[in-house]
Amino acid sequence: MADVAHGLANAPTRPAVIGLGKLGAAMAAAFAERGLSVLGVDVDERAVDALNAGRPPAPEAGLETLIRRNRDRLGATTDTAEAVVRSDIVFVIVPTPSRSDGGFATDYAAATFRAIGAALRHKATPLTVVLTSTVLPGATRNTLLPVLEQESGKQAGVGFHLCYSPEFIALGSAVRDFLNPDFILIGEHEKVAGDRLEAFYGTVLENDAPSRRMGLENAELAKLALNAYVTNKITFANVLADLCERLPGGDVDAVTGALALDSRIGGKYLTGGAPYGGPCFPRDNAALARVAEDLKVDAGLMHAVDRNNHERPHTWARYLQAWLAPGDTVAVLGLAYKPGSHVVEAAPGLLLARELAAAGIAVVACDPMIPADAWAAYPEAEAVTLTVVDDARDAIGRARAVCLASPDPAFRDLSPDLFAGRLVVDFWRRHAGVLAGRADVTYVGAGLAPSDAP
Ligand SMILES: NC(=O)c1ccc[n+]([C@@H]2O[C@H](COP(=O)([O-])OP(=O)(O)OC[C@H]3O[C@@H](n4cnc5c(N)ncnc54)[C@H](O)[C@@H]3O)[C@@H](O)[C@H]2O)c1
C-alpha cells in the first residue's frame, strides 16, 4: 500500500461508473469512447441488462450509437464489489433526491459507499472514489466519508482516495459535454486524490479544459452555485419579459439582445419568457437556499427566484382560462423541459397542462420526444389528466388555444394556417414573425407588447 499512501501521478485506467441513469450511462459510454474498458453498476437489473445488450439504459441523444460502437469495452453488473475489485477509480452517480426542506437525501449514496467500503476492505491496490451526485456542502466529508472508512477499515488518503467532482452536462448533449467541458471541478479530500482524478480527466477529455481544485465543501458549494446563478439569469430575463409586455412596443429580445453584447453578461440563458425546469435547476436553487438558511445567511435571493419561476405557469394558466369557455381544449406543444429531452420533471409545458387540467380545461399535448404510447409509463401521467398525441397538427386541430411551450425545431415549420381562429401563447416567440400580424389569430408572445399579456 506504499503507493497509495504516497500517491502516484499515474492516471487511473480502469474506471467503474456506479449508477447507470441519465448521467451515469452517458459517462460510462464517454469513457469507453476514449478507449477505456468501463464497468457500469446499477441496482436495477434492467439498466444492467440494457447496457450488456448494447442498449442505452436511459434515453439520451447519440447514446445508442456510442454504446454500440464501444460494446467490447462496456460491461455492466449489479455487483458493486466486482466493480471495486476490477477498477482503480469509481464514479458514484446515484440519485440524491430533493427533500421537502430543499436539501438532498444521501441514502442511495450512503448505500453505495457502504458497498464500496465493504469490498475495499479486501482490496490491495489503490482505489480513487469520486462522488459525482449533487450533495449539500459538507455531505461528502461528514456523511459519506465516515461510511467508507468504517466499512473498509481504511483511512482516506492512506487506504483510498476520495474526491467530489460534479459534472455540468446538459441532457441532450451529455456525451459531448462530458468530453468537452468548460472546466473540471475537483473537490479533493487530499492532494493525491485530486492528482489522480486530474490525471484521469487528462487522459479522457477531448479538450484542454482547465481544472479548478479545492476542498470538498468549496466544490460542493460551487456546483450548487453554478446552477443557481443560471436560474437567477433566467429569472432576470423573465422579469424583463414581464416589463416588456406592459411597455408600448416592448420586445424582450431587443432588450436582452443588447445586454448580451456586454462581456460581463453574455447571452446564454438570457432569453426571457419560459420558466426554467428540468431535474437540476429548480432543485439546486432550492438547495442553495437551504444551505444559506442552515448557515444563517439571508436566502431571500434564492426564494425570490424560486417564487417568480413557480408563479409563471399559474399566471399563464389564469390568462388562458380567462380567454376560454367551458369545454374548450388547449393544445400544449412541448411536454419535456427542453428540446431533445424526454424528461418532463418541472417542465414548463407540463406544469401549465397540470394547472389547466386542474381547472377543468381539457389539454391535448404533443412532444417529439414523447410518443403518445410512451406517456402512460411516465409517473407524471397519473397526476395530470391530458391526452398525448404524436402529431402537433392533430393537437392544434382539437384545440381552441395553443401554447407553444418549447422552442423545439419540430414545431417551427407548422403552417400558420393551422392556428387560424385560435389564441396562441408563445413562450419563446418563435412564431411571432408569421403569426403576430394575422387577423385570424390572437397571438400573445411572452415578453412582447401589446399589454394584454398577463
Ligand atoms: N441528470 C442530470 O442532468 C444531472 C446533471 C448534474 C448532476 N446530476 C446529479 O447526478 C445524480 C444522478 O442523476 P441522474 O439524473 O443520472 O439519476 P437517475 O435517477 O437517472 O439515475 C440514477 C441511477 O442510479 C441507480 N442506483 C440507485 N442506487 C444505486 C446503488 N446503490 N448502486 C448502484 N446504482 C444505484 C438507479 O437505479 C439509477 O439507474 C443526482 O445527484 C443528480 O442530481 C444529474
Side-chain angles (χ1 to χ4, degrees), residues 99 102-104 106 131 133-143 164 215-225 284 286-292 294-295:
R99 298 188 311 234
F104 301 125
T106 50
L131 178 67
S133 304
T134 311
V135 292
L136 292 187
T140 308
R141 188 185 307 278
N142 302 327
T143 307
Y164 169 73
L216 296 169
E217 290 76 9
N218 282 331
E220 290 162 330
L221 179 59
K223 162 65 180 171
L224 290 184
D284 286 0
L288 192 62
R290 176 76 266 138
V291 174
D294 287 348
L295 297 174

Side-chain angles (χ1 to χ4, degrees), residues 115-179:
I116 294 172
L120 188 55
R121 183 175 279 275
H122 310 290
K123 187 174 170 73
T125 52
L127 183 72
T128 302
V129 179
V130 183
L131 178 67
T132 301
S133 304
T134 311
V135 292
L136 292 187
T140 308
R141 188 185 307 278
N142 302 327
T143 307
L144 299 172
L145 170 59
V147 174
L148 260 188
E149 291 191 329
Q150 193 177 335
E151 294 293 329
S152 67
K154 295 179 178 175
Q155 214 184 327
V158 181
F160 62 92
H161 303 293
L162 178 65
C163 287
Y164 169 73
S165 183
E167 294 289 339
F168 298 98
I169 61 103
L171 294 178
S173 56
V175 175
R176 193 190 61 216
D177 296 351
F178 261 129
L179 297 177

Side-chain angles (χ1 to χ4, degrees), residues 135-401:
V135 292
L136 292 187
T140 308
R141 188 185 307 278
N142 302 327
T143 307
L144 299 172
L145 170 59
V147 174
L148 260 188
E149 291 191 329
Q150 193 177 335
E151 294 293 329
S152 67
K154 295 179 178 175
Q155 214 184 327
V158 181
F160 62 92
H161 303 293
L162 178 65
C163 287
Y164 169 73
S165 183
E167 294 289 339
F168 298 98
I169 61 103
L171 294 178
S173 56
V175 175
R176 193 190 61 216
D177 296 351
F178 261 129
L179 297 177
N180 299 278
D182 286 348
F183 70 108
I184 293 296
L185 180 60
I186 297 178
E188 56 199 40
H189 174 269
E190 81 289 338
K191 184 175 176 306
V192 176
D195 288 346
R196 283 177 178 266
L197 182 56
E198 190 173 37
F200 177 78
Y201 281 135
T203 63
V204 293
L205 298 188
E206 287 177 344
N207 68 359
D208 287 328
S211 46
R212 282 288 173 275
R213 292 174 55 173
M214 56 197 74
L216 296 169
E217 290 76 9
N218 282 331
E220 290 162 330
L221 179 59
K223 162 65 180 171
L224 290 184
L226 191 143
N227 278 351
Y229 185 84
V230 176
T231 66
N232 275 251
K233 199 171 177 188
I234 293 168
T235 304
F236 187 79
N238 284 345
V239 172
L240 293 177
D242 292 345
L243 297 174
C244 286
E245 286 161 14
R246 290 155 179 81
L247 281 174
D251 178 350
V252 72
D253 293 321
V255 178
T256 57
L259 299 188
L261 295 176
D262 189 303
S263 61
R264 292 169 300 180
I265 299 174
K268 285 186 180 169
Y269 293 96
L270 195 70
T271 307
Y276 58 80
C280 291
F281 284 162
R283 81 188 202 109
D284 286 0
N285 181 62
L288 192 62
R290 176 76 266 138
V291 174
E293 281 161 2
D294 287 348
L295 297 174
K296 309 277 184 270
V297 170
D298 182 11
L301 180 62
M302 285 72 92
H303 286 309
V305 166
D306 184 56
R307 202 169 45 243
N308 183 292
N309 200 63
H310 189 73
E311 195 48 42
R312 303 190 86 75
H314 299 277
T315 308
W316 283 109
R318 281 197 299 271
Y319 182 84
L320 282 156
Q321 268 173 269
W323 202 85
L324 295 168
D328 280 346
T329 296
V330 174
V332 174
L333 304 189
L335 268 187
Y337 83 102
K338 66 175 189 175
S341 172
H342 66 286
V343 176
V344 299
E345 202 173 331
L350 183 65
L351 292 175
L352 177 69
R354 190 164 71 191
E355 290 291 320
L356 292 168
I361 291 168
V363 178
V364 57
C366 176
D367 191 297
M369 293 293 287
I370 303 172
D373 58 8
W375 174 243
Y378 276 72
E380 291 82 357
E382 278 182 27
V384 187
T385 310
L386 56 81
T387 305
V388 175
V389 297
D390 288 322
D391 187 342
R393 288 165 299 191
D394 180 11
I396 298 167
R398 300 181 191 207
R400 197 161 160 252

Side-chain angles (χ1 to χ4, degrees), residues 394-433:
D394 180 11
I396 298 167
R398 300 181 191 207
R400 197 161 160 252
V402 181
C403 177
L404 291 148
S406 159
D408 198 304
F411 303 134
R412 212 172 287 163
D413 296 329
L414 292 168
S415 162
D417 293 337
L418 289 168
F419 297 93
R422 292 168 174 81
L423 167 68
V424 178
V425 168
D426 186 358
F427 282 178
W428 295 85
R429 302 170 294 284
R430 294 286 161 92
H431 290 67

